[in-house]
Amino acid sequence: MRVFRARVFTPIADPFTTDSAKSYTYYDDGFLAIDGDRIVGIGDWREVPRQSSSLTQLGRDIVIAPGFVDTHLHAPQLEMIGSYGGDLLEWLNRYTFPTEAKFRDPAHAAMVARVFFDELLRNGTLCALIFSTIHEEATDIFFAEAERRGFRAIIGKTMMDRNAPDSLLESPRDSYEQSRALLQKWHKRGLLRYAITPRFAPTSTPELLEAAGQLKREFPDAYVHTHISENRNEVQWVHDLFPEAEYADVYDRYGLLGERTVLAHGVYLSEEELELLARRGSRIAHCPNSNLFLGSGLFRLHHTLEAGVAVGLGTDIGAGTTPSMFTTMADAYKVQQVQGISLSPFQLWYLATLGGARALSLGDECGSLEPEKSADFVMLDLKSTPLVALRSERASSVEDLLAGLIFTGDDRVVRECWIGGQMVASRS
Ligand code: GUN
Ligand code: ZN
């Protein structure tokens, strides 16, 4: 057994439905005990088990907390962050498709994969749902890099067969076969999972969606990862391409909505669509930074949650401009503020950790520090920058401490990352 002594914070319940005081635990002088890859204890230091164990004294300037969960991002888009001007559809054509075409070259994919997982770990993200490109080999490379790092990832080969440059199109059959081969190789291998990943309805023919649905029927515990209702012009385009149905119905018709379906954005969903998603148990990845960057619109968080749809937070790199879940929490706060709603630090931190893990159906495994879960955690350094130190010293409560970290924290705060009881990244 291994014991860490520090401040310890973890969400334990949903603060949108539970009294906020009961939604977390915090120990000013606490411990986290791990054994192998599991958490075996968490509590006040005075109650630390006296068994023989190795003890690491971290002191009061370190907060041990669960790792962040990024429920939607695109690995190949890391290099195009900040490609400015235009809304979603213009941005896709002008920047995104040319960037993704470069991943035909495995050496390029390998270089970006290394930087990508470096960035996630540097920022304390220990679990993520990730888009690759249409390229089978590049997708294989992203999986292999995640495995090499001991990272907990759900990844999928993007499926597309219309409305993009020829170099990014494939036949539904090739898309099916390559996705199937990757799924069989990587799904449930260690910490890795496979997501069947049609990009979105506009780049899919009915035949491609049928192929995706066929895969989901063959492998019901695989994930489905796509986009929905991010932008008004996109929604209109889907109505033109699939006139007989609403956006969510298009996916539903091909059997793509289930509990392991994660749909990015959902800014413009109708009441009927929200009801359908709730019935199917499908999840939304809210990406506030991306929605602001592309000017997509303002997500109605409470409305979505109250409809019974689970929500996680995503950076949506590269329409999102940062891998930081601190900034993503801060932007989620601001997106609700301009709609007259103030999210609490507990609500924001929940969305970035346990809420995200639950949105990815991984809530029994990660997202919070609780006995029997995987030992996935970060060490946050309250003295990491002069501003973080100043803000943390004056924090009047744990709530205020978290608020300060959300708005002043960045990658410098993240001192160490552990996944499954292994240290996977360290600043020192
Ligand atoms: N919709 C379809 N593809 C994309 C993408 O790459 N990024 C975002 N933000 N939305 C999309
Ligand atoms: Zn996206």
Side-chain angles (χ1 to χ4, degrees), residues 72 74 77 88-89 91-92 96-97 100 131 199-200 202-203 227-228 230 234 247 264-265 290-291 294 296 316-320:
H72 175 73
H74 301 253
Q77 295 176 13
L88 170 67
L89 301 176
W91 173 87
L92 282 173
T96 314
F97 293 149
E100 292 194 8
F131 258 74
R199 178 172 218 116
F200 66 157
T203 49
H227 298 89
I228 196 166
E230 174 178 4
E234 170 211 6
Y247 204 153
H265 307 299
S290 161
N291 292 163
L294 290 176
S296 301
D316 194 24
I317 283 172

Side-chain angles (χ1 to χ4, degrees), residues 26-38:
Y26 172 72
Y27 302 99
D28 214 45
D29 181 10
F31 75 90
L32 179 75
I34 67 175
D35 192 8
D37 68 341
R38 296 287 125 185

Side-chain angles (χ1 to χ4, degrees), residues 38-56:
R38 296 287 125 185
I39 294 170
V40 292
I42 165 177
D44 191 285
W45 176 251
R46 285 165 302 192
E47 275 137 44
V48 72
R50 299 280 159 218
Q51 283 162 255
S52 70
S53 53
S54 85
L55 171 64
T56 308

Side-chain angles (χ1 to χ4, degrees), residues 28-341:
D28 214 45
D29 181 10
F31 75 90
L32 179 75
I34 67 175
D35 192 8
D37 68 341
R38 296 287 125 185
I39 294 170
V40 292
I42 165 177
D44 191 285
W45 176 251
R46 285 165 302 192
E47 275 137 44
V48 72
R50 299 280 159 218
Q51 283 162 255
S52 70
S53 53
S54 85
L55 171 64
T56 308
Q57 300 265 13
L58 295 165
R60 291 200 75 253
D61 294 332
I62 295 290
V63 183
I64 296 178
F68 295 121
V69 178
D70 188 339
T71 62
H72 175 73
L73 79 168
H74 301 253
Q77 295 176 13
L78 190 68
E79 63 180 273
M80 55 169 285
I81 283 177
S83 296
Y84 63 94
D87 75 352
L88 170 67
L89 301 176
E90 228 180 305
W91 173 87
L92 282 173
N93 286 312
R94 199 193 307 168
Y95 303 111
T96 314
F97 293 149
T99 301
E100 292 194 8
K102 290 162 68 180
F103 286 73
R104 204 164 77 86
D105 173 8
H108 183 70
M111 181 276 289
V112 173
R114 286 192 294 274
V115 183
F116 178 76
F117 287 107
D118 277 346
E119 281 303 317
L120 293 193
L121 290 170
R122 188 201 312 290
N123 284 281
T125 296
L126 307 187
C127 174
L129 174 57
I130 301 166
F131 258 74
S132 174
T133 59
I134 70 153
H135 306 98
E136 184 177 6
E137 195 171 350
T139 308
D140 193 65
I141 287 167
F142 285 123
F143 268 114
E145 188 64 20
E147 182 172 69
R148 195 172 74 77
R149 305 298 183 99
F151 193 89
R152 189 185 296 283
I154 310 167
I155 306 177
K157 187 195 100 65
T158 305
M159 307 172 79
M160 315 166 62
D161 73 337
R162 65 166 155 173
N163 293 321
D166 285 347
S167 61
L168 286 181
L169 298 180
E170 53 187 350
S171 71
R173 174 124 299 269
D174 287 349
S175 187
Y176 167 85
E177 282 173 1
Q178 292 176 17
S179 299
R180 193 176 196 282
L182 287 162
L183 190 159
Q184 287 193 299
K185 177 169 178 188
W186 293 107
H187 186 50
K188 298 194 280 187
R189 173 160 150 175
L191 304 182
L192 304 174
R193 304 285 181 270
Y194 194 82
I196 300 158
T197 309
R199 178 172 218 116
F200 66 157
T203 49
S204 311
T205 62
E207 292 71 33
L208 186 92
L209 294 173
E210 178 54 38
Q214 166 71 26
L215 264 182
K216 178 65 181 168
R217 281 191 296 280
E218 278 177 67
F219 302 95
D221 68 356
Y223 289 81
V224 174
H225 185 196
T226 187
H227 298 89
I228 196 166
S229 292
E230 174 178 4
N231 164 294
R232 285 206 171 87
N233 295 330
E234 170 211 6
V235 174
Q236 183 54 49
W237 196 15
V238 172
H239 288 153
D240 296 342
L241 293 169
F242 298 90
E244 53 304 337
E246 279 206 282
Y247 204 153
D249 296 315
V250 174
Y251 295 137
D252 192 45
R253 191 179 307 161
Y254 296 97
L256 293 171
L257 297 183
E259 290 184 8
R260 292 192 179 210
T261 299
V262 180
L263 304 152
H265 307 299
V267 177
Y268 297 105
L269 294 168
S270 69
E271 302 307 311
E272 292 74 22
E273 287 176 297
L274 282 171
E275 202 182 290
L276 172 64
L277 297 187
R279 235 179 14 253
R280 297 283 184 258
S282 300
R283 320 292 162 84
I284 293 286
H286 168 40
C287 307
N289 182 281
S290 161
N291 292 163
L292 295 170
F293 180 75
L294 290 176
S296 301
L298 300 175
F299 180 66
R300 296 188 301 163
L301 176 63
H302 284 80
H303 189 70
T304 306
L305 292 172
E306 280 158 19
V309 179
V311 175
L313 278 186
T315 61
D316 194 24
I317 283 172
T321 56
T322 175
S324 171
M325 291 299 286
F326 291 112
T327 306
T328 304
M329 287 190 276
D331 288 341
Y333 178 81
K334 293 169 193 170
V335 164
Q336 297 312 307
Q337 274 293 94
V338 296
Q339 300 180 84
I341 297 162

